[in-house]
């Protein structure tokens, strides 16, 4: 009989701190650890990343090295400057599946060249809730069939490079109004439309599926990640998925704040997961590992099944080669995804740019800045970014806001926060409006319709400057807040912001 103690390590995908492989993690990889997931905080530059990945893979056998390189708003490789790939919502709006496949191939080629063998993408969620705080532009849209077509195109292009794709977040995170990084969402609507992209991905040969920490009453009483009815009954038996099931991180509050990280990992494996993802620190990761050894819910047969799937996931299985999208093609797609009210176009003078940053959410978004991009085109462009507390976060075209990733830690809203600006906020906003006097004003928001603070500040700005151009870098559901003066980018990636900058001040020379 297979010994659970000797194989449970293979079922773990852990995060790490820093730019080099820590010695304890190197030893654990040699002892059979399944893999490492990398974040922006592990990446200094391309050469360093290539060396780190090579070090990780050489430390063990059949090691999985994973990242969330979705393109668009969620990027690890381009976190400091913004992704060169248009995100899913923009691609869904353009609706050219051949282009989406080429974008997937471009991302895959970049990862394959670095030695990364698992991309935790594409997002297969159907974003049916405009108030969704965590999916939004990461989804290809609200139509299940369109989402399915683009999910298949993306994963086909990605897997043609030998990098495994991972459709997420099963069985669907698109109808939530809560971020599972911060709390446990419950979805009561019809689940069937949300399964359509996953059915299509499985039929297309996706090699991995990532779970959702979401409750679906009638299907599971707790998070889907811990449910045998979801992972085995629905995903395996009904939908026929035979690849690796990867969990979302067990350190997210939806799990850590409930059953706890260690017991959550055990329940996920028992339910049918094969690779349990954990950020956090090394001590916590080892505590989870020790909790799994000899756990009564984990039979040797279940662990052996997971082990085989993780080993298979680590190996490349190249598909039919897909040509990678060119920079010009991706720029054209970003331009095609723009939503501009009539009359929005080239400004007649260098604008003042006011960026209204939304509160931090559970996942690190791209750090691209329209203010910085406009300033790079025309040094006369100035402005400021108001942080959620309304303190200026950067001026004169050089806003702060680069990634500051803290592995395994997420910031929840402050207790008692009403989302209403106070005296300091009013003063900072007044200062910005005064600085913009006599100049065109550009206001940058992200889904202001669902953020009370941003919505109120935007209303204050437009009451004073009804001529302001409002650039929405989210889903565009906030367009009604600036009727007639709105420019939507369908994402905050560098390529999307560049398209908006080209329209407002002209192409960069």
């Amino acid at each position: 009989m297979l010994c659970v103690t000797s194989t449970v390590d293979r079922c773990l995908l852990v995060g790490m701190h820093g730019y080099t492989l820590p010695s304890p993690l190197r030893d654990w990889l040699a002892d059979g650890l399944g893999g490492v997931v990398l974040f922006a905080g592990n990446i200094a530059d391309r050469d360093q990343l290539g060396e780190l990945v090579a070090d990780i893979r050489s430390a063990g056998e059949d090691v999985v090295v994973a990242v969330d390189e979705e393109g668009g708003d969620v990027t690890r490789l381009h976190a400091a400057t913004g992704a060169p790939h248009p995100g899913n919502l923009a691609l869904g709006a353009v609706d050219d599946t051949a282009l989406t496949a080429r974008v997937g191939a471009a991302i895959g080629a970049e990862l394959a060249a670095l030695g990364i063998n698992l991309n935790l993408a594409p997002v297969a969620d159907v974003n049916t809730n405009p108030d969704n705080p965590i999916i939004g532009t990461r989804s290809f849209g609200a139509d299940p069939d369109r989402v399915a077509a683009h999910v298949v195109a993306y994963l086909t292009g990605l897997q043609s490079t030998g990098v495994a794709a991972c459709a997420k977040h099963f069985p669907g995170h698109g109808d939530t109004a809560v971020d599972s990084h911060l709390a446990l969402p419950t979805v009561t609507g019809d689940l069937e439309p949300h399964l359509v992209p996953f059915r299509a991905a499985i039929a297309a040969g996706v090699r991995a599926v990532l779970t959702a920490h979401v409750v679906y009453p009638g299907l599971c009483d707790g998070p889907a990640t811990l449910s045998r009815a979801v992972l085995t009954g629905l995903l395996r038996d009904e939908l026929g998925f035979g690849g690796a099931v990867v969990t979302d991180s067990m350190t997210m509050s939806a799990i850590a704040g409930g059953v706890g990280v260690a017991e959550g990992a055990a329940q996920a494996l028992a339910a049918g997961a094969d690779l349990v993802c954990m950020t956090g620190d090394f001590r916590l990761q080892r505590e989870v590992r020790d909790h799994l050894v000899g756990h009564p819910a984990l039979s040797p047969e279940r662990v052996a099944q997971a082990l085989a799937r993780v080993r298979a996931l680590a190996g490349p299985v190249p598909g039919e080669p897909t040509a990678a999208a060119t920079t010009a093609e991706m720029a054209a797609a970003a331009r095609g995804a723009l939503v501009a009210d009539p009359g929005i176009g080239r400004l007649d003078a260098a604008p003042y740019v006011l960026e209204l940053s939304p509160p931090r959410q559970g996942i690190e978004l791209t750090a691209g800045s329209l203010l910085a991009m406009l300033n790079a085109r025309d040094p006369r462009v100035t402005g400021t970014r108001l942080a959620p507390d309304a303190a200026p976060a950067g001026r004169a075209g050089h806003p702060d806001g680069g990634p500051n990733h803290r592995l395994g830690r997420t910031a929840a809203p402050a207790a008692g926060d009403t989302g209403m600006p106070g005296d300091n906020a009013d003063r900072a906003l007044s200062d910005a409006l005064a600085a913009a006097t006599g100049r065109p004003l550009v206001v940058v928001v992200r889904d202001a319709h669902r953020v009370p603070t941003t919505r109120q500040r935007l209303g204050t700005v437009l009451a004073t400057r009804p001529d302001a151009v409002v650039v929405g870098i989210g889903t565009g559901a906030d367009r009604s807040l600036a009727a007639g003066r709105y420019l939507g980018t369908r994402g905050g990636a560098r390529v999307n912001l560049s398209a908006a900058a080209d329209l407002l001040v002209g192409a960069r020379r």
Side-chain angles (χ1 to χ4, degrees):
M1 179 177 289
L2 184 70
C3 176
V4 173
T5 304
S6 65
T7 58
V8 71
D9 302 82
R10 181 68 63 181
C11 302
L12 299 177
L13 178 71
V14 304
M16 56 165 274
H17 294 280
Y19 298 142
T20 58
L21 182 63
S23 296
L25 198 54
R26 183 190 307 277
D27 294 340
W28 196 5
L29 286 164
D31 288 339
L33 176 65
V36 177
V37 56
L38 300 175
F39 293 88
N42 303 123
I43 301 170
D45 55 47
R46 190 165 301 275
D47 290 342
Q48 169 270 327
L49 177 57
E51 292 173 3
L52 173 59
V53 173
D55 206 10
I56 293 170
R57 295 190 64 173
S58 66
E61 181 182 354
D62 298 325
V63 175
V64 174
V65 182
V67 293
D68 294 275
E69 193 63 30
E70 298 173 11
D73 282 319
V74 177
T75 174
R76 306 305 185 209
L77 273 62
H78 306 282
T81 58
H85 316 101
N88 291 351
L89 187 62
L91 291 171
V94 173
D95 199 19
D96 180 348
T97 54
L99 173 63
T100 299
R102 293 196 295 274
V103 171
I107 293 172
E110 189 172 21
L111 299 180
L114 291 163
I116 295 167
N117 53 10
L118 173 62
N119 189 13
L120 301 174
V123 170
D125 300 307
V126 183
N127 197 63
T128 55
N129 190 339
D131 292 330
N132 197 317
I134 192 62
I135 302 302
T137 61
R138 301 166 65 199
S139 168
F140 288 106
D143 177 74
D145 293 329
R146 179 175 293 197
V147 173
H150 286 274
V151 164
V152 169
Y154 183 110
L155 75 88
T156 300
L158 176 67
Q159 292 191 162
S160 75
T161 67
V163 176
C166 183
K168 62 186 185 186
H169 307 77
F170 184 83
H173 210 313
D175 194 25
T176 62
V178 173
D179 180 356
S180 55
H181 293 83
L182 308 178
L184 178 61
T186 297
V187 171
T188 58
D190 184 9
L191 181 59
E192 189 55 37
H194 296 271
L195 294 177
V196 171
F198 291 100
R199 292 182 190 273
I202 292 166
V206 70
R207 295 180 59 197
V209 168
L210 186 138
T211 66
H213 300 333
V214 178
V215 178
Y216 304 87
L219 181 59
C220 56
D221 295 329
T225 296
L226 312 183
S227 170
R228 184 170 178 81
V230 174
L231 302 192
T232 299
L234 178 57
L235 182 56
R236 297 287 188 201
D237 298 340
E238 182 177 333
L239 301 188
F241 180 61
V245 176
V246 184
T247 74
D248 214 339
S249 179
M250 306 306 287
T251 52
M252 292 163 57
S253 293
I255 301 294
V259 299
V261 179
E263 181 58 22
Q267 292 185 24
L269 286 172
D274 304 303
L275 192 57
V276 174
C277 180
M278 285 187 294
T279 53
D281 58 31
F282 182 77
R283 178 185 297 179
L284 171 64
Q285 293 162 359
R286 292 296 293 186
E287 288 174 357
V288 172
R289 184 262 182 196
D290 292 342
H291 183 76
L292 296 177
V293 174
H295 195 285
L298 298 177
S299 68
E301 293 76 19
R302 169 78 271 269
V303 176
Q305 184 183 58
L307 167 64
R309 290 182 180 138
V310 174
R311 284 190 181 277
L313 184 63
V317 182
E320 189 69 25
T322 299
T326 65
T327 300
E329 284 181 313
M330 292 189 284
R335 290 194 298 272
L338 290 176
V339 178
D341 284 339
I344 300 295
R346 185 75 173 264
L347 300 173
D348 57 10
Y352 186 90
V353 182
L354 173 60
E355 294 188 327
L356 301 179
S357 298
R360 181 185 297 176
Q361 60 184 52
I363 194 165
E364 196 80 28
L365 295 174
T366 178
S369 165
L370 183 61
L371 169 55
M373 198 163 284
L374 290 169
N375 175 262
R377 285 164 166 75
D378 184 347
R380 296 172 299 170
V381 174
T382 58
T384 189
R385 173 181 291 179
L386 294 190
D389 60 3
R395 294 183 181 275
H398 298 286
D400 298 334
N404 185 21
H405 208 85
R406 294 294 181 264
L407 205 58
R409 296 177 174 85
T410 55
D417 181 12
T418 63
M420 302 297 286
D423 292 341
N424 290 338
D426 293 340
R427 186 161 47 252
L429 197 56
S430 296
D431 289 346
L433 289 170
T437 301
R439 301 171 59 181
L441 175 61
V442 174
V443 187
V444 183
V445 297
R446 180 188 291 274
D447 291 334
H449 66 287
R450 61 173 180 79
V451 184
T453 304
T454 308
R455 189 167 64 245
Q456 178 166 332
R457 291 173 184 167
L458 178 60
T460 300
V461 170
L462 292 179
T464 304
R465 290 291 303 270
D467 61 315
V469 175
V470 176
V471 179
I473 63 172
T475 61
D478 52 7
R479 187 177 185 180
S480 63
L481 299 178
R485 303 296 299 167
Y486 190 83
L487 171 61
T489 64
R490 291 191 170 104
R494 184 171 81 241
V495 66
N496 298 93
L497 299 184
S498 181
D502 289 347
L503 180 64
L504 294 174
V505 303
R508 185 171 183 173
R509 291 185 295 274

